[in-house]
Amino acid sequence: MSPAPGGAGHVDLHAHTTASDGDLTPSELVAAAAASGVTVIAVTDHDTVAGLDEAARAGAAAGVTVIPGIELTVRVPHGSMHLLGYLPTTRPDPLMGRLGELAAFREDRIRAIVARLAELGVSVEWDDVRGRAAGQLGRPHVADALVAAGHAAGRDDAFDRWLADGRPAHVASLGLGPVEAVRLVVDSGGAPVLAHPASLRLPARHLSSFVQRLAHHGLSGIEVHRPEHTPDQRDSYATIARRLRLIATGGSDFHRPGGPFGLGDTGTPGLAADTTERLLARMR
Ligand code: AMP
Ligand code: FE
Ligand code: FE
Ligand code: ZN
């Protein structure tokens, strides 16, 4: 992979750790970033900031710029929505104050999924599911429990059969609505960015007006660059970004070594050289 424009190294604005459903601890993630030439990494775990202090310490030691972040689960009527928040500190308020409540929403949703699975005749033990999460609980932990119980061949199979959006045991997320989530990040001094716009499953025109409404409430950017995006997807999200003057961000959504995409992998052509600066300029 060639270096980012400007030769400053790779920038990756979306990555997970063991604080949610990633396999690497925050320190290991930062070490892996350094090893793969990533000089700026945002740590964006699902609904938690628990990994950020460790990541910041590791970044300072390794000479990697760590941007504190989060990936909020947002309640939408169909599809699924995740909102990335880039944060001015590792313990931003009022976001910090809401996280306990959000954790309860996540847990209630996973309990509902486990109950739905039991109704479908594919039982997993709640304690087994809960015990698989070191930090934030999520559907991947249910998937692993399904595999262990012999109900699926692997994580992807478990999602395809039961857990993915539109599958029989899918339960919509509870918790924050889209505007509420955007405002929570803005009120915490952060820059909110719409993650993987495709997961909203909106036709192009509806996506554009949905994003416009969020922009009106302070959305800073939209994730244009992801390794799995087709050129058409990238172009259509880039068009929305230009039209609404949003920052076209990107990242690998790294979860584990040996996964489909490596750290710093944001697809071609990747991020503009000034993306990080523009994002940081949106924070208080
Ligand atoms: P949750 O936060 O509980 O909704 O789980 C979201 C996480 O589940 C994502 O970040 C992915 O790690 C994983 N995931 C979502 N959809 C799939 C899928 N179709 N196949 C495998 N993993 C998935
Ligand atoms: Fe995840
Ligand atoms: Fe996500
Ligand atoms: Zn993610």
Side-chain angles (χ1 to χ4, degrees):
M1 204 190 302
S2 60
H10 298 300
V11 174
D12 193 332
L13 297 173
H14 191 156
H16 294 270
T17 76
T18 47
S20 64
D21 59 350
D23 280 4
L24 301 185
T25 64
S27 308
E28 290 167 345
L29 178 74
V30 170
S36 40
V38 171
T39 53
V40 178
I41 186 165
V43 176
T44 56
D45 276 306
H46 298 287
D47 299 323
T48 181
V49 294
L52 298 184
D53 282 328
E54 182 186 325
R57 280 194 301 273
V64 173
T65 300
V66 172
I67 300 177
I70 195 162
E71 184 174 17
L72 293 171
T73 306
V74 180
R75 174 173 42 81
V76 283
H78 69 123
S80 88
M81 173 173 165
H82 287 173
L83 184 75
L84 293 162
Y86 299 101
L87 306 167
T89 73
T90 57
R91 295 168 175 280
D93 271 315
L95 182 60
M96 283 295 287
R98 293 295 297 281
L99 290 177
E101 204 180 309
L102 295 173
F105 288 144
R106 284 187 75 80
E107 186 146 329
D108 288 350
R109 178 193 184 209
I110 299 299
R111 277 185 192 277
I113 290 172
V114 168
R116 182 78 60 87
L117 286 168
E119 286 165 20
L120 292 164
V122 279
S123 293
V124 291
E125 294 295 325
W126 168 253
D127 287 346
D128 179 34
V129 175
R130 191 69 194 87
R132 289 172 188 276
Q136 289 292 306
L137 187 62
R139 280 179 294 161
H141 305 113
V142 184
D144 290 348
L146 282 166
V147 174
H151 298 308
R155 239 188 213 190
D156 285 346
D157 186 45
F159 270 89
D160 290 347
R161 287 195 201 203
W162 315 106
L163 301 173
D165 175 39
R167 304 306 297 147
H170 184 262
V171 173
S173 59
L174 307 164
L176 299 169
V179 170
E180 197 184 357
V182 165
R183 300 199 81 107
L184 181 59
V185 173
V186 170
D187 290 347
S188 302
V193 169
L194 179 65
H196 41 72
S199 75
L200 282 164
R201 302 200 185 187
L202 292 171
R205 280 185 44 222
H206 293 173
L207 177 65
S208 181
S209 54
F210 180 77
V211 175
Q212 182 164 18
R213 184 165 73 98
L214 299 184
H216 176 76
H217 289 280
L219 189 76
S220 289
I222 170 171
E223 208 174 43
V224 170
H225 302 284
R226 290 177 60 90
E228 82 278 23
H229 277 172
T230 64
D232 279 354
Q233 283 178 313
R234 207 171 54 222
D235 291 350
S236 90
Y237 305 145
T239 301
I240 293 175
R242 261 196 312 278
R243 195 170 65 76
L244 297 173
R245 298 180 196 288
L246 295 171
I247 305 166
T249 73
S252 63
D253 207 349
F254 179 86
H255 282 75
R256 57 192 51 82
F261 307 115
L263 274 169
D265 196 355
T266 60
T268 307
L271 301 189
D274 65 347
T275 306
T276 308
E277 289 69 28
R278 290 182 66 200
L279 210 49
L280 294 176
R282 294 295 301 260
M283 296 184 211
R284 282 195 271 102

